Amino acid sequence: MMPANPLVNSLIKAALLNALKHHPITISHLLVMGTHFHMIVRAENPEDIRGFMERFKTESATYINRLLGRKKRTVWCKSYHPPDVLTVEDVIEKIAYTYINPVKDGLVSSIESFPGISSWS
């Protein structure tokens, strides 16, 4: 589990920026928790999402493993589950789910007090 502290947050942001340089997607909503993350993204080409995710997960795992002095340890699950979000109702449902997740998991009492990376504000 990765703690939500300034150093880890900086490493995650660096991995996000590096992945965005190589894969033209738009991150609309984001929440990074200690064991998983939620993103709502837009892309012209769906294959860009796959490339972005692979690069982000590889980059962030490399940074985290270096920080912890580990070699090639798994940080994220190998797969990811990119549901197609095609209607306004689906988008609203996914946005709500993203921001309620830390509350549902008992980490904070409201999203406003979440210390990790979030696009809430």
Side-chain angles (χ1 to χ4, degrees), residues 35 37 44-45 96 102 113:
T35 58
F37 55 89
E44 294 293 322
N45 179 352
S113 58

Side-chain angles (χ1 to χ4, degrees), residues 7-33:
L7 178 57
V8 171
N9 288 352
S10 292
L11 294 175
I12 297 296
K13 287 177 184 177
L16 285 167
L17 290 172
N18 194 26
L20 285 170
K21 283 192 321 190
H22 295 91
H23 302 282
I25 68 164
T26 301
I27 299 173
S28 300
H29 297 276
L30 169 69
L31 182 103
V32 180
M33 297 176 63

Side-chain angles (χ1 to χ4, degrees), residues 74-92:
T74 300
V75 172
W76 306 110
C77 295
K78 291 185 192 266
S79 64
Y80 68 100
H81 309 288
D84 291 331
V85 182
L86 303 175
T87 67
V88 171
E89 292 80 14
D90 288 344
V91 172
I92 292 169

Side-chain angles (χ1 to χ4, degrees), residues 21-118:
K21 283 192 321 190
H22 295 91
H23 302 282
I25 68 164
T26 301
I27 299 173
S28 300
H29 297 276
L30 169 69
L31 182 103
V32 180
M33 297 176 63
T35 58
H36 66 284
F37 55 89
H38 299 274
M39 274 191 238
I40 299 172
V41 304
R42 291 179 285 133
E44 294 293 322
N45 179 352
E47 287 303 311
D48 286 326
I49 297 171
R50 181 176 311 285
F52 170 84
M53 292 303 295
E54 287 174 6
R55 183 170 291 268
F56 166 69
K57 289 168 67 173
T58 299
E59 294 279 336
S60 59
T62 299
Y63 298 157
I64 297 300
N65 282 326
R66 282 185 189 159
L67 175 68
L68 298 175
R70 305 184 312 188
K71 293 190 185 226
K72 297 193 178 200
R73 296 276 307 271
T74 300
V75 172
W76 306 110
C77 295
K78 291 185 192 266
S79 64
Y80 68 100
H81 309 288
D84 291 331
V85 182
L86 303 175
T87 67
V88 171
E89 292 80 14
D90 288 344
V91 172
I92 292 169
E93 177 187 330
K94 297 300 182 193
I95 292 169
Y97 179 83
T98 295
Y99 295 123
I100 200 69
N101 209 259
V103 176
K104 179 181 67 79
D105 288 354
L107 300 176
V108 291
S109 59
S110 89
I111 187 64
E112 285 86 7
S113 58
F114 181 68
I117 296 170
S118 169

